[in-house]
Amino acid sequence: QVQLVESGGGLVQPGGSLTLSCAASGSIFRIADMGWYRQAPGNQRELVATITRGARSNYADSVKGRFTVSRDNAKNMVYLQMNSLKPEDTAVYYCNAAISTAGLGNYSPYWGQGTQVTVSS
């Protein structure tokens, strides 16, 4: 059993900052890529940022220069530092991780339950 739990969402004014955290726990052998996605009302879920085990990161164009993804492999955690937040960043943010539970090279995607981020004055 694997569980991803996000934290750190909330209400912030435009131009403000938030840091999201996601902790993976359970029967984990190894975690490959980790990342963050978001879904605003009426929209499809979209990629925000991903990071490889070796810390190579990738960002959506809409967040480049404002968001920073990082991870702690020893703690099985991934973070999203969000600066210069805009109203259009309002969404439910989901943590995602590719996890191997058996050490056989097979990775499956796991998702957190989501955390709400609201940017509003």
Side-chain angles (χ1 to χ4, degrees):
Q1 193 85 2
V2 173
Q3 191 174 21
L4 271 61
V5 178
E6 302 103 333
S7 61
L11 173 65
V12 63
Q13 292 187 342
S17 298
L18 277 177
T19 299
L20 305 182
S21 301
C22 173
S25 62
S27 301
I28 297 170
F29 177 79
R30 188 177 180 89
I31 303 177
D33 292 359
M34 303 184 81
W36 293 92
Y37 291 71
R38 67 187 181 187
Q39 187 168 17
N43 292 353
Q44 290 187 335
R45 190 172 298 189
E46 64 177 7
L47 180 147
V48 176
T50 61
I51 184 167
T52 68
R53 188 171 182 84
R56 182 176 301 174
S57 57
N58 178 58
Y59 297 92
D61 288 343
S62 59
V63 307
K64 282 181 181 177
R66 300 188 298 122
F67 291 11
T68 301
V69 63
S70 61
R71 65 188 285 174
D72 185 330
N73 291 333
K75 296 181 179 179
N76 290 335
M77 294 195 68
V78 63
Y79 307 93
L80 186 68
Q81 173 68 43
M82 304 184 292
N83 299 325
S84 302
L85 282 160
K86 305 175 181 180
E88 52 263 43
D89 294 318
T90 295
V92 177
Y93 283 70
Y94 296 92
C95 173
N96 171 268
I99 296 176
S100 172
T101 58
L104 300 177
N106 297 320
Y107 290 84
S108 298
Y110 290 86
W111 293 91
Q113 81 288 350
T115 185
Q116 177 71 45
V117 172
T118 303
V119 185
S120 175
S121 54

